């Protein structure tokens, strides 16, 4: 690894902790974030040439604090300066422990910052954007490109999110709210990963940068909560799913379904790590949705050939999953497993039961088309493939669905 790459990795790891330390101390998100960005730029220029400081995080906090002080001193109007100083003065809700206690900046600031970015007052889209910006360290332009929106639109979305959380105490939720708030954090990380693994729109099926960022952030959360089964299960699910990414597309970007993938291209190291995490997650308490989904992914990944897949066990796990949460997409996955165990006609009956909940969703029609094709109904399959292709914004999925329809016999 080159020194420049080492510095980049170090900065990305420390950035949320530095931002969290400043927000905790001063209680002003925007000003603190600007100061941290300047400190990161200074480090990116100096560290590759001069070498790493003995305490990189402390160096960044010190420089960012100076930049924040410089920003206050540069205010031209005295009244404006006094108002800004007042706004940035540490308040009880934002300060570290009371006098007499000492608290150094810690890894816990990353988790606290995640809780802030995933605050319930924000919409899911705003939670994702603010998390990628403040905790992930992505630029506004990078986030905009990932979501296929203009940079100005994304900047406005992030700015509104910051305004909504302004004044929110920088502290972890009280114990009675913590589980619910952690669930929101994990859901946001899951959304980021899903958008990276299978983009909902655009030219590319897979956005590796988003998927990798979701995995990195989930690893950070697990480092803070190593015995939290939901976190371990989510990380396992991400690793086991992303392990197949190299085999999911062909040389021209075309989608390759799971049963047709070249399994020699799957990442066996990621599969081994993910499978070990599944076993660990299932031992850490009652199995939740992430743990069960990870166990399903492990069964797929551990089959050497598509025909070796343990579908009865997968169906049993889906039965557990749909009991945990009323999720129509989980029920759609169960319908596929049911068809693989009991035949395509039985699976179609399960699909019909989901019509009201998933009407118009391209995945419902795509699964229906696949089962109709297996059941020997090419006309019905062709029509379903056409409806599915008309309902998705993902160009690789459109091409795949049209190709499946075109190869059916007349």
């Amino acid at each position: 690894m080159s020194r420049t790459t080492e510095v980049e990795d170090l900065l990305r790891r420390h950035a949320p902790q530095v931002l969290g330390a400043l927000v905790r101390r001063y209680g002003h998100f925007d000003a603190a974030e600007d100061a941290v960005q300047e400190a990161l730029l200074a480090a990116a220029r100096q560290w590759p040439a001069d070498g790493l400081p003995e305490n990189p995080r402390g160096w960044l906090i010190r420089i960012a604090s100076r930049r924040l002080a410089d920003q206050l001193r540069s205010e031209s109007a005295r009244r404006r300066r006094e108002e800004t100083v007042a706004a940035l003065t540490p308040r009880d809700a934002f300060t570290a422990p009371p006098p007499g206690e000492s608290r150094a900046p810690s890894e816990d600031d990353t988790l606290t910052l995640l809780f802030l970015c995933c605050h319930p007052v924000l919409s899911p889209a705003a939670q994702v954007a603010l998390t990628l910006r403040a905790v992930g360290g992505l630029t506004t332009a990078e986030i905009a490109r990932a979501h296929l929106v203009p940079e100005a639109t994304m900047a406005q979305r992030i700015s509104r999110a910051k305004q909504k959380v302004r004044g929110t105490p920088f502290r972890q939720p009280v114990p009675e709210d913590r589980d619910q708030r952690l669930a929101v954090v994990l859901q946001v990380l899951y959304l980021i990963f899903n958008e990276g693994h299978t983009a909902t729109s655009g030219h590319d099926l897979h956005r590796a940068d988003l998927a990798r960022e979701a995995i990195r952030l989930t690893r950070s959360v697990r480092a803070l909560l190593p015995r939290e089964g939901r976190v371990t299960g989510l990380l396992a699910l991400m690793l086991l799913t992303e392990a197949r990414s190299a085999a999911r597309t062909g040389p021209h970007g075309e989608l390759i379904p799971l049963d047709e993938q070249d399994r020699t291209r799957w990442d066996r190291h990621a599969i081994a790590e993910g499978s070990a995490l599944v076993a660990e997650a299932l031992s850490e308490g009652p199995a939740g949705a992430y743990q069960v989904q990870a166990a399903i992914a492990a069964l797929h990944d551990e089959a050497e050939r598509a025909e070796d897949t343990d579908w009865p066990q997968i169906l049993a796990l889906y039965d557990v999953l749909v009991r945990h949460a009323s999720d129509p997409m989980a029920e759609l996955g169960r319908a596929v497993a049911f068809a693989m165990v009991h035949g395509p006609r039985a699976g179609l009956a399960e699909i019909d039961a989901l019509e009201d909940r998933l009407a118009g969703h391209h995945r419902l029609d795509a699964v229906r088309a696949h089962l109709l094709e297996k059941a020997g109904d090419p006309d019905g399959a062709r029509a379903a493939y056409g409806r599915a292709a008309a309902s998705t914004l993902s160009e690789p999925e459109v091409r795949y669905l049209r190709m499946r329809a075109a190869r059916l016999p007349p």
Side-chain angles (χ1 to χ4, degrees):
M1 179 185 294
S2 68
R3 173 169 286 185
T4 299
T5 303
E6 181 184 4
V7 167
E8 290 174 354
D9 290 344
L10 197 62
L11 292 177
R12 176 158 287 197
R13 187 167 70 249
H14 286 312
Q17 300 162 24
V18 176
L19 177 58
L22 263 69
V23 174
R24 172 164 53 82
R25 181 178 179 186
Y26 297 103
H28 197 289
F29 200 107
D30 281 345
E33 187 185 29
D34 290 342
V36 170
Q37 290 302 313
E38 291 187 34
L40 294 174
L41 287 172
R45 287 193 298 267
Q46 295 180 33
W47 292 2
D50 300 343
L52 299 178
E54 183 177 344
N55 181 358
R57 183 168 57 196
W59 189 98
L60 289 167
I61 291 173
R62 184 173 66 254
I63 298 302
S65 297
R66 289 176 183 171
R67 295 292 193 273
L68 195 53
D70 290 344
Q71 181 181 332
L72 297 179
R73 283 194 294 268
S74 67
E75 297 285 348
S76 57
R78 178 180 177 83
R79 182 172 181 177
R80 174 64 176 164
R81 181 170 64 247
E82 290 174 350
E83 290 174 350
T84 305
V85 170
L88 290 174
T89 299
R91 296 169 294 194
D92 288 344
F94 291 98
T95 55
E101 294 185 36
S102 62
R103 175 182 165 188
S106 71
E107 297 275 351
D108 288 343
D109 284 331
T110 300
L111 186 58
T112 307
L113 191 58
L114 268 169
F115 280 121
L116 179 63
C117 292
C118 299
H119 197 281
V121 300
L122 301 176
S123 69
Q127 291 170 340
V128 168
L130 193 57
T131 297
L132 289 173
R133 181 74 185 90
V135 188
L138 275 66
T139 66
T140 303
E142 288 172 329
I143 301 170
R145 282 197 301 272
H147 289 83
L148 303 180
V149 300
E151 183 175 350
T153 300
M154 185 56 67
Q156 189 176 39
R157 183 181 299 174
I158 294 172
S159 178
R160 285 198 299 262
K162 291 177 183 177
Q163 291 296 323
K164 280 194 172 184
V165 299
R166 175 174 288 179
T168 302
F170 188 79
R171 61 189 178 208
Q172 292 195 22
V174 294
E176 53 266 32
D177 294 334
R178 191 171 180 276
D179 278 355
Q180 185 175 359
R181 291 286 299 279
L182 178 61
V184 176
V185 169
L186 298 181
Q187 178 66 17
V188 167
L189 296 177
Y190 188 47
L191 289 173
I192 294 170
F193 176 79
N194 279 347
E195 182 61 28
H197 183 70
T198 304
T200 53
S201 58
H203 300 285
D204 300 319
L205 179 72
H206 182 242
R207 293 177 186 158
D209 54 344
L210 279 182
R212 284 196 300 265
E213 187 58 28
I215 291 172
R216 187 185 71 84
L217 291 174
T218 307
R219 285 191 188 280
S220 296
V221 176
R222 184 170 181 268
L224 300 169
L225 303 171
R227 293 179 178 82
E228 174 59 62
R230 289 175 294 175
V231 181
T232 305
L234 180 57
L235 179 58
L237 174 60
M238 290 179 177
L239 290 170
L240 291 164
T241 306
E242 187 65 8
R244 311 181 205 124
S245 60
R248 292 178 68 229
T249 53
H252 305 293
E254 67 273 20
L255 186 153
I256 301 176
L258 179 62
D259 60 345
E260 298 177 15
Q261 289 175 15
D262 178 0
R263 300 185 177 217
T264 64
R265 301 185 63 198
W266 289 2
D267 185 342
R268 292 296 161 185
H269 293 292
I271 291 172
E273 182 184 2
S275 297
L277 288 173
V278 170
E280 185 176 332
L282 293 175
S283 71
E284 290 172 344
Y290 296 126
Q291 296 97 308
V292 176
Q293 290 179 79
I296 292 170
L299 287 172
H300 281 297
D301 287 11
E302 291 166 1
E304 293 187 8
R305 302 173 302 165
E307 52 267 35
D308 297 331
T309 305
D310 189 347
W311 284 107
Q313 181 65 22
I314 289 175
L315 177 58
L317 287 169
Y318 267 117
D319 286 337
V320 174
L321 181 60
V322 297
R323 285 199 299 268
H324 268 283
S326 180
D327 179 1
M329 296 309 294
E331 294 182 38
L332 184 60
R334 180 190 175 278
V336 172
F338 195 86
M340 296 303 294
V341 174
H342 300 291
R345 288 292 177 189
L348 285 166
E350 298 291 315
I351 292 292
D352 290 341
L354 295 172
E355 184 65 47
D356 290 342
R357 300 178 68 193
L358 287 172
H361 198 293
H362 77 281
R363 296 202 187 283
L364 181 70
D365 279 318
V367 172
R368 176 182 281 118
H370 178 66
L371 295 182
L372 285 169
E373 182 179 350
K374 290 176 72 70
D377 183 354
D379 291 337
R382 187 180 300 106
Y385 278 130
R387 290 193 301 271
S391 302
T392 179
L393 299 175
S394 168
E395 294 180 21
E397 289 187 330
V398 170
R399 292 195 299 270
Y400 167 75
L401 293 165
R402 288 177 176 169
M403 178 272 293
R404 296 287 300 211
R407 78 181 191 181
L408 291 170

